[in-house]
Structure formats: C-alpha cells, structure tokens
Amino acid sequence: MVNGVQVKQRWCSTCRVYRPLRSKHCSYCDRCVFRFDHHCTWLGNCVGIGNYRSFLLLVMTATLFFGHSSLITLKVARQCLREASDASVVRRLFVANAGKFLYVAYASLMCLAFSILMLYHLIIMACNLTTNEHVRDYYMERNPFDITCVENYRQVLCSPYGRTYRVSFAGAGAGSAGGGGAAAAAAADSAREVE
C-alpha cells in the first residue's frame, strides 16, 4: 500500500527480481530502471531517477540555446539588411544571408519544440508522474504518489532519491499460524516512512 492505494509489485522475468515500485525493464538497455521515465534515443540511455534532473537541465539549456541563437542571428541578418539602401542590393543580401534566415527558422522551431517538451515535463512533474506512467495511464483511479503540486516538485527536483511516500507491506498478518508476537512485530516494523 502506498498512501492508502494498493500498488502491485511486479516480477521482472528478465532480471529475475521483484522490481521496485515505479521501475520498468527497458528492452533497449536490458535492465530494470528505477522510476523509469523513458528511453531517450537521442541520449542512447534510459531516463530514470538517477539522471532525470540532468535530462531536464539538458532540455532547458537546449531551449535557451536555440532561442538565444535565433535572436542573435536574426539581429545580425537585420543589421546587414538595414545597411543596404537599393532594392537590388537588398535582394543580393537576402541571397547572401539565406543561411542565416534558414538558421533563424530552424532554431525557432527547435526552441518551440524544446519549450513544449519542457512544459510537458513540468506538467507531469506537478502530478508526480513519469512519462511512462502518463502515456500508459497506470493510475486509473488515483495516483498514489501525488501529494501536492509544491511537494511533487520538491520531491522530483530536491529530494535525494525522490521518495517521500508511505509504504506498508501487506501479507504479514499478526494472526498467522506459528508467528504470534514475531509476526505482529514484523508487521509493525514493515509500515515505515521511506525517505
């Protein structure tokens, strides 16, 4: 149980282990990844709990780079066009600066694409979801990992391992035969705060 919601722990037949909550086996990397977000073909690696913040930083810096470079290139190209006065000279400058204008269009499109990607990740972070969980609709009723928007951002961006939810282990009942007090103590110890 996680925050009062029953979550099934799954068996990975490839790795032959019970996978931790929110982990998934990546067929490309051939390993189980904790808090699996997605397999990034551009990076050639899985994005999970260990590198999600670095992935967000990469997306943010790519957005800033393409936005800034498109503005600088546009200013340089406009400056060249302002210096020309005759219409034939302006036409020749357009041809001479065609690469700059093509780069401005390309960089603007890339800035828009990375901005949309960053916005998407900000939205799913507010709900404490991974890309995999969001795309596959893992939690039909209620996301057990969703706390509050601020706490979700803090958990993803600031927590050492990104875990601050309450986990209790079912199945170790106090009335099991032959267990008596030891089973009750184990059941009490199993409900603990994971941080």
Side-chain angles (χ1 to χ4, degrees), residues 3 5 19 30 33-34 38 55 72 92 105 140 146 159 179 184:
N3 290 332
V5 177
R19 292 185 294 197
D30 195 32
V33 179
F34 184 54
H38 66 282
F55 172 76
I72 289 174
R92 276 186 263 151
M140 295 295 183
D146 187 15
S159 292

Side-chain angles (χ1 to χ4, degrees), residues 11-139:
W11 172 259
C12 179
S13 58
T14 307
C15 298
R16 297 180 160 221
V17 295
Y18 279 103
R19 292 185 294 197
L21 297 177
R22 304 184 90 177
S23 65
K24 182 180 180 282
H25 186 86
C26 178
S27 58
Y28 297 105
C29 297
D30 195 32
R31 64 179 176 199
C32 286
V33 179
F34 184 54
R35 201 168 192 270
F36 177 83
D37 193 76
H38 66 282
H39 182 86
C40 184
T41 54
W42 296 101
L43 298 175
N45 197 9
C46 283
V47 176
I49 194 168
N51 60 354
Y52 187 70
R53 294 177 204 159
S54 301
F55 172 76
L56 290 176
L57 184 65
L58 174 72
V59 172
M60 186 180 67
T61 54
T63 304
L64 294 174
F65 168 75
F66 282 114
H68 189 252
S69 66
S70 67
L71 288 176
I72 289 174
T73 308
L74 183 64
K75 286 183 180 182
V76 169
R78 283 181 59 198
Q79 183 64 30
C80 292
L81 292 177
R82 277 192 201 143
E83 294 172 357
S85 58
D86 191 6
S88 63
V89 174
V90 170
R91 254 185 270 128
R92 276 186 263 151
L93 279 175
F94 262 120
V95 172
N97 293 314
K100 290 178 184 154
F101 288 111
L102 287 174
Y103 180 76
V104 167
Y106 167 75
S108 299
L109 284 173
M110 292 302 291
C111 179
L112 178 66
F114 279 112
S115 297
I116 291 170
L117 181 62
M118 190 69 194
L119 180 65
Y120 172 74
H121 279 279
L122 289 174
I123 290 170
I124 65 171
M125 271 194 300
C127 300
N128 204 351
L129 289 170
T130 64
T131 303
N132 186 49
E133 293 167 346
H134 181 253
V135 169
R136 296 183 185 262
D137 280 333
Y138 267 45
Y139 311 112

Side-chain angles (χ1 to χ4, degrees), residues 126-187:
C127 300
N128 204 351
L129 289 170
T130 64
T131 303
N132 186 49
E133 293 167 346
H134 181 253
V135 169
R136 296 183 185 262
D137 280 333
Y138 267 45
Y139 311 112
M140 295 295 183
E141 295 173 19
R142 183 176 83 84
N143 178 4
F145 304 101
D146 187 15
I147 309 165
T148 63
C149 187
V150 173
E151 282 297 310
N152 291 340
Y153 279 116
R154 186 194 64 76
Q155 184 182 34
V156 172
L157 298 174
C158 301
S159 292
Y161 298 106
R163 297 177 293 173
T164 58
Y165 47 86
R166 185 158 182 79
V167 177
S168 61
F169 299 96
S176 59

